[in-house]
Amino acid sequence: MSAAAEILVPGKAGEGEALVLTAPISFWGGVDPKTGRIADVRHPQHGEVISGRVLFLPGTIGSSSASAVLMELVHNGRAPAALVLHEPDAILLLGLIVAREMGWETPMAIRLERGAFDAYRGTAVRVGADGAVTIAV
């Protein structure tokens, strides 16, 4: 399976186990920037680690601090391998943009139709430099 996606923020191509979230998440208070673990006890994937995985986000719960948390994840080496969003989130993506400006290697962020997310659940996924999303072999 392969799908072309729109690149929202260029970055390093990434590969990792897909983590398809079943509910939107708040990065501020919802993700621990030191461990990359989902810390929100109300989130269905509480306890899952986003670090090194291709993170499929059905949505985010707004906070202007989300960008700072994502930037911290990048700085701490705990960022996802790639971010796949259904809708662009300017606040969240700002964290990647600022991290790039700081000279840090950042994961790529892409937009993909929400209906395609489930096809990647439970698989290893590669997000190529061109934004193509494929199941890794």
Side-chain angles (χ1 to χ4, degrees):
M1 161 135 215
S2 179
E6 174 188 359
I7 297 173
L8 298 171
V9 178
K12 180 182 174 193
E15 184 173 325
E17 179 186 350
L19 177 56
V20 181
L21 297 186
T22 58
I25 192 164
S26 170
F27 274 70
W28 179 251
V31 177
D32 182 337
K34 292 180 182 169
T35 65
R37 188 171 303 280
I38 296 176
D40 181 351
V41 296
R42 296 165 296 168
H43 195 276
Q45 276 98 6
H46 171 256
E48 290 278 356
V49 175
I50 68 171
S51 303
R53 296 171 83 176
V54 176
L55 181 61
F56 288 77
L57 294 164
T60 55
I61 299 170
S63 170
S64 58
S65 300
S67 54
V69 174
L70 184 54
M71 194 170 80
E72 271 190 85
L73 286 162
V74 170
H75 183 258
N76 294 336
R78 303 303 294 165
L83 287 100
V84 182
L85 291 87
H86 166 64
E87 291 292 331
D89 180 328
I91 299 294
L92 180 65
L93 296 177
L94 179 62
L96 292 180
I97 294 166
V98 172
R100 270 193 19 221
E101 289 298 313
M102 298 288 290
W104 303 336
E105 187 173 68
T106 60
M108 179 179 298
I110 61 173
R111 187 183 85 69
L112 185 65
E113 290 301 316
R114 174 70 180 102
F117 282 20
D118 282 337
Y120 298 99
R121 187 181 310 279
T123 67
V125 176
R126 175 162 175 68
V127 177
D130 61 354
V133 184
T134 57
I135 293 176
V137 191

